[in-house]
């Protein structure tokens, strides 16, 4: 149990023992103090309750504190009533010592697994085939991967699904390009680049030559009607794209349980639209089959309404166009059905650009109408900006490609490595550059609130100083290097730590906080809670290391401090692994 949970249960019993008639829904809580000068934890329950029951808050706080004493709080913490009736808890040195001891023996680093595991489907990355992943996909891929890792570690049954866009209108152009422009050698060497090249080339041609545009449209129709040649080309395109994508995922150390792209649902779309029509969930409008508002929400909150010329008008979701073709929306409705029926999903998280907000609001609304009980969440994120504060672009004005962004970051970290650790063997330097470069891109992403835009600044991201991946990776290396200097091996399972000094207390507090903050990531699906915690942990390790000599100390003090270094390294590397970031042994 975390210290927070222990205090929490004591305060609940304390309130019960007072014999007060507690109002409905009143739940006394113990929070982590924002300022350690006041203590480690704080409860404002006495104040909150006094207000509701018109009692004197300080008097009630005094009663609660007396009751807490009877509940045995004294073995954990000293108490103090502050201000109008806050109760502050300061954890005792003996309790820190015990906590550190229990962490040493705990493979889960003080993190409890959820009592009731849920089936969580995480839909992330999902690039479009024949178009390379660009930096926009980076946010989805990195956030989605880390949320999956964290929820898995918290005990949930996580299913990751790469819902790639493998059946879009782009295939008209791609097939035309394949038939007329493809360079097979280039395709072999770098499939994503070659597919992108022909796609761009054809796009240009279509703009100047109407007949080519018509031919492309014809190719798309043929594909949709099941033309054998076009299907074969499409198949090959998807296959080589997957190869290219997998090369990037390998580099990012990202994997998926399933790759059920849009095309997987093709066979289910006609029956689905027929059902939607039959049940009245959708109706015909100008030949198109549409989902309209069911008027259960005020227009302002209704995703099927928009204000036009001062009036609320219908904003339907089209599920079958007048020409009979289904679309992105239809596929997503079928996808929800599949995930509910096949995977028994309790939750589905869509880690997708905030610009698709309307699509998901409509999708969630229609799913609910059709009886979906799972919790559907659009996990939104903002834009990556260049140093000029505008959305990041290449010199040609295109969106930068993910692979190039990774290359640039690795290149930048090579420079840093040459400066700091030029004596390492060449292949180790190369591995290090990859771990730092890719880690930097990931950490920059994950340390920001996902809804804020952030500036992509390579030099800053890869710097050893600052809130960066290399700072954390280096802190871990520093912990580990202490053990390389030792002559003896340490048996951590037999250490009885004795936490005494300020630096030791501060570090113990940070170590024990891991189990308290990690579950909070899932409250609002924010990996930055973990990323920022790791930075704080590393800072507190460096302060400890400056104030408290480790190797030069003696006896149990030395063992205690070694234990703190060991735990710091364990939690840093574990936390980084949940962010998908590698921890090198040397730097
Ligand atoms: N392929 C889409 C895009 O790149 C993202 C798909 C997200 N997932 C979904 N179920 N709609 O914009």
């Amino acid at each position: 149990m975390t210290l927070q949970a222990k205090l929490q249960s004591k305060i609940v019993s304390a309130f019960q023992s007072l014999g007060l008639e507690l109002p409905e829904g009143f739940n006394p809580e113990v929070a982590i103090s924002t300022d350690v000068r006041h203590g480690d934890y704080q409860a404002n329950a006495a104040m909150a309750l006094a207000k509701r029951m018109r009692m004197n808050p300080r008097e009630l706080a005094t009663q609660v504190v007396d009751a807490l004493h009877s509940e045995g709080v004294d073995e954990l913490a000293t108490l103090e009533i502050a201000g109008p009736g806050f109760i502050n808890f300061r954890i005792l040195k003996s309790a820190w010592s015990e906590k550190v001891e229990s962490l040493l023996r705990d493979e889960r680093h003080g993190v409890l697994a959820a009592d009731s595991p849920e089936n969580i489907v995480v839909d992330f990355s999902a690039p479009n085939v024949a178009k390379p992943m660009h930096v926009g996909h980076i946010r989805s891929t990195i956030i989605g991967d880390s949320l999956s890792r964290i929820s898995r570690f918290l005990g949930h049954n996580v299913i990751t699904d790469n819902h790639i866009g493998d059946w879009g209108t782009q295939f008209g152009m791609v097939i035309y390009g394949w038939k007329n422009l493809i360079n097979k050698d280039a395709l072999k060497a770098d499939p994503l680049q070659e597919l992108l090249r022909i796609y761009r080339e054809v796009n240009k041609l279509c703009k100047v030559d109407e007949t080519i545009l018509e031919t492309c449209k014809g190719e798309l129709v043929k594909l949709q009607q099941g033309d054998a040649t076009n299907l074969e080309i499409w198949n090959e395109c998807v296959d080589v794209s997957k190869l290219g994508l997998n090369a990037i995922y390998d580099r990012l150390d990202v994997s998926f349980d399933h790759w059920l792209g849009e095309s997987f649902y093709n066979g289910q779309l006609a029956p689905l639209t027929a059902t939607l029509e039959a049940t009245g969930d959708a109706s015909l409008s100008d030949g198109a089959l549409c989902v309209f508002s069911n008027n259960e929400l005020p227009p302002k909150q209704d995703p099927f309404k928009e204000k036009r010329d001062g009036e609320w008008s219908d904003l339907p979701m089209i599920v079958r166009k007048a020409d009979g073709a289904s679309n992105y929306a239809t596929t997503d409705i079928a996808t929800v059905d599949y995930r509910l029926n096949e995977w028994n999903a309790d939750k589905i998280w869509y880690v997708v650009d905030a610009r698709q907000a309307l699509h998901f609001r409509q999708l969630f609304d229609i799913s609910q109408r059709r009886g979906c009980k799972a919790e559907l969440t659009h996990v939104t994120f903002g834009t990556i900006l260049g140093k000029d504060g505008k959305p990041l672009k290449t010199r040609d004005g295109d969106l930068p490609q993910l692979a190039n962004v990774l290359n640039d970051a690795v290149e930048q970290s090579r420079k840093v490595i040459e400066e700091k650790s030029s004596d390492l063997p060449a292949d180790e330097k190369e591995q290090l550059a990859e771990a730092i470069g890719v880690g930097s891109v990931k950490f920059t992403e994950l340390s920001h609130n996902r809804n804020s835009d952030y500036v992509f600044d390579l030099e800053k991201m890869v710097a050893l100083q600052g809130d960066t991946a290399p700072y954390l990776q280096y802190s871990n290396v520093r912990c580990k290097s202490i053990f390389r200097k030792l002559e003896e091996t340490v048996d951590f399972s037999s250490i009885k730590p004795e936490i005494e000094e300020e630096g030791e207390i501060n570090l113990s507090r940070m170590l024990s906080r891991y189990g308290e903050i990690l579950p909070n990531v899932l409250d609002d699906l924010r990996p930055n809670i973990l990323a920022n915690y790791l930075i704080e942990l590393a800072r507190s390790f460096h302060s400890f290391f400056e104030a408290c000599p480790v190797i030069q100390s003696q006896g149990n003090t030395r063992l205690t401090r070694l234990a703190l270094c060991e735990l710091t390294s364990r939690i840093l590397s574990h936390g980084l692994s949940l962010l998908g970031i590698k921890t090198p042994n040397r730097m």
Side-chain angles (χ1 to χ4, degrees), residues 464-499:
L464 270 180
Q465 293 306 327
D467 298 353
T468 62
Y471 171 67
L472 293 175
Q473 291 167 319
Y474 178 68
S475 304
N476 182 49
V477 166
R478 200 147 167 211
C479 295
K480 291 205 146 152
S481 70
I482 294 162
F483 294 97
R484 278 201 285 273
K485 289 189 201 122
L486 288 185
E487 269 141 36
E488 75 273 25
T489 47
V490 189
D491 174 14
F492 290 107
S493 64
S494 64
I495 294 183
K496 281 263 168 216
E498 281 171 291
I499 300 297

Side-chain angles (χ1 to χ4, degrees), residues 123 126-128 137 163-165 262 328 332 339 350 352 356 359-360:
D123 176 323
N128 298 319
H137 289 113
H163 187 72
I164 52 173
E262 293 176 15
Y328 187 56
D332 255 334
R339 290 170 177 171
Y350 296 86
V352 186
Q356 294 191 26
H359 166 75
F360 286 110

Side-chain angles (χ1 to χ4, degrees), residues 57-70:
R58 264 195 95 96
E59 239 162 61
L60 179 58
T62 313
Q63 289 180 32
V64 176
V65 166
D66 287 342
L68 278 166
H69 287 309
S70 320

Side-chain angles (χ1 to χ4, degrees), residues 348-362:
I348 308 179
W349 298 339
Y350 296 86
V351 190
V352 186
D353 199 310
R355 279 169 292 191
Q356 294 191 26
L358 177 65
H359 166 75
F360 286 110
R361 286 174 59 219
Q362 294 188 326

Side-chain angles (χ1 to χ4, degrees), residues 105-156:
R105 305 191 189 3
D106 183 358
E107 277 171 17
R108 291 189 54 87
H109 317 291
V111 184
L112 295 180
D115 299 331
S116 37
E118 293 176 302
N119 297 336
I120 305 177
V121 176
V122 191
D123 176 323
F124 69 101
S125 196
N128 298 319
V129 165
K131 301 179 178 175
M133 278 204 270
H134 55 67
V135 284
H137 289 113
I138 209 174
R139 299 203 73 168
S140 172
T141 308
I142 296 174
I143 296 170
D145 177 55
S146 127
L147 288 175
S148 308
R149 289 170 188 256
I150 294 169
S151 20
R152 229 171 232 152
F153 179 65
L154 288 172
H156 296 293

